[in-house]
Amino acid sequence: MHSHENPAGGLVPVATTTLVVPQQADSDQHLIELWLHGRSRHTQRAYRKDAGRFLEAVEKPLHRITLGDLQKYAGQLIESGLQLSSVYRMMSAVKSLFAFGHRLGYLPFDVARPLRLPALRDALAERILDETDVLRMIALEGMPRNKAILMTLYAGGFRVAELCSLKWNDLQNRDKSGQITVFGKGGKTRTVLMPQSVWNALQSLRNEARDGDPVFRSRKGGHLDESQVWRIVRKASKRAGIEKEVSCHWLRHAHASHALDRGAPIHLVQATLGHSSISTTGKYLHARPTDSSSSYLLF
């Protein structure tokens, strides 16, 4: 309560209201849990590990950490012999945490914002398999479930987390084939049409499964774990004679590159993969160009 002067003389009391902003997090650990909420299990596991490793190294609460602390930690990671891609990922997670804490009002400043991340060499071209390699991986897989996994990853361009979370009610018939709806990265839902061969391979797995049951089941009956799918893909690549360390995401890269090579409109590939920006999809065109000025030189 305070007063101001009345034109007629005397003081008139005026009520004031103090805005109380509730505390959004009561500790650094609480902030981290809020930051991780809603992310995939894989992302939560990786980010929690990155944040824990960082806090253990700096030995300070978040509100006392400076830009110098961040730069020193990044330098230590590089000097430890970690690949630059790993350093980039870990420091990106730390930057994300500080930005979140500042937006929430828990941290007075986003001291990580000016931090420069290490420049990375674009190795996308090295992770794009030839069509013959992908088809060999699928053809040589003898287990029907595993073959369907390879076909679905490639045909849908799905992330491994999207594939593992599929339930039968995410699959809908469309004429002789069907479509799959996934709830993907960034909370985006997208629906992808399946070729008939892939659809038939999926339907052959259903048997008496109910709509809410997992499409790809583990031995215990639940959803197949991402690490299990990773091993399936790795074994398939070795069986096909591919010497590179192939991961599940390589089949997503292959989908994008092969579809563009075969004339698919870039906006269609963007929609199928769920890219937020057309520039992300465009990287596949730069990774495997169909023409170059070098072809115009005299050799």
Side-chain angles (χ1 to χ4, degrees):
M1 182 80 71
H2 70 277
S3 304
H4 69 81
E5 188 173 350
N6 190 319
L11 296 176
V12 178
V14 177
T16 59
T17 302
T18 301
L19 180 63
V20 178
V21 180
Q23 181 82 0
Q24 298 296 316
D26 52 26
S27 68
D28 288 355
Q29 192 56 46
H30 186 199
L31 177 72
I32 290 172
E33 295 306 317
L34 293 173
W35 170 60
L36 295 175
H37 179 73
R39 301 179 188 270
S40 71
R41 285 183 302 165
H42 175 76
T43 301
Q44 285 192 28
R45 186 165 57 247
Y47 276 19
R48 185 176 281 110
K49 183 178 179 181
D50 291 340
R53 182 173 178 175
F54 168 69
L55 290 173
E56 185 178 342
V58 295
E59 298 181 320
K60 287 182 181 181
L62 288 173
H63 69 274
R64 290 185 52 204
I65 291 172
T66 66
L67 175 60
D69 294 325
L70 290 161
Q71 292 172 334
K72 181 180 177 181
Y73 178 66
Q76 290 171 345
L77 291 178
I78 294 172
E79 290 172 5
S80 71
L82 275 178
Q83 291 186 347
L84 284 181
S85 58
S86 297
V87 176
Y88 186 96
R89 177 187 59 77
M90 294 168 71
M91 295 311 299
S92 292
V94 172
K95 281 174 69 74
S96 171
L97 174 60
F98 273 89
F100 178 80
H102 178 57
R103 288 197 305 271
L104 216 59
Y106 179 78
L107 298 174
F109 304 103
D110 179 4
V111 296
R113 187 173 183 180
L115 180 68
R116 290 191 179 94
L117 297 177
L120 295 180
R121 173 177 169 269
D122 189 353
L124 178 59
E126 300 169 14
R127 299 192 296 270
I128 297 176
L129 297 167
D130 289 337
E131 279 184 313
T132 52
D133 287 335
V134 176
L135 296 178
R136 193 183 309 116
M137 285 174 62
I138 295 170
L140 295 178
E141 176 58 68
M143 185 175 175
R145 185 202 65 180
N146 294 354
K147 185 186 287 284
I149 285 172
L150 296 173
M151 295 173 76
T152 305
L153 281 172
Y154 179 53
F158 297 129
R159 300 176 179 92
V160 63
E162 296 168 345
L163 177 114
C164 289
S165 63
L166 285 177
K167 299 178 181 179
W168 284 108
N169 55 13
D170 296 320
L171 280 63
Q172 299 88 33
N173 287 307
R174 287 282 300 272
D175 300 323
K176 293 182 180 180
S177 185
Q179 62 185 33
I180 298 178
T181 300
V182 293
F183 185 68
K185 189 176 180 180
K188 297 176 182 177
T189 300
R190 69 187 193 280
T191 300
V192 181
L193 290 170
M194 288 289 106
Q196 187 174 351
S197 59
V198 180
W199 188 253
N200 291 342
L202 287 168
Q203 293 304 313
S204 69
L205 303 177
R206 180 154 191 176
N207 299 319
E208 302 300 321
R210 297 167 296 181
D211 284 351
D213 290 341
V215 174
F216 300 110
R217 300 178 61 166
S218 67
R219 290 180 180 177
K220 296 181 179 180
H223 287 275
L224 203 60
D225 188 79
E226 293 177 24
S227 62
Q228 292 173 293
V229 178
W230 188 91
R231 285 193 291 271
I232 289 167
V233 171
R234 177 60 58 84
K235 286 181 180 179
S237 69
K238 296 300 182 187
R239 193 184 299 118
I242 303 169
E243 295 181 357
K244 296 179 179 179
E245 297 296 307
V246 177
S247 74
C248 302
H249 214 73
W250 284 38
L251 293 176
R252 179 174 164 88
H253 293 323
H255 172 111
S257 181
H258 300 167
L260 289 168
D261 286 348
R262 289 187 169 276
I266 190 170
H267 286 90
L268 178 60
V269 178
Q270 177 193 8
T272 299
L273 298 185
H275 287 157
S276 58
S277 170
I278 196 72
S279 62
T280 302
T281 317
K283 290 179 181 178
Y284 292 96
L285 294 173
H286 298 298
R288 288 166 63 99
T290 56
D291 199 0
S292 169
S293 56
S294 63
S295 62
Y296 294 85
L297 301 179
L298 182 60
F299 279 101

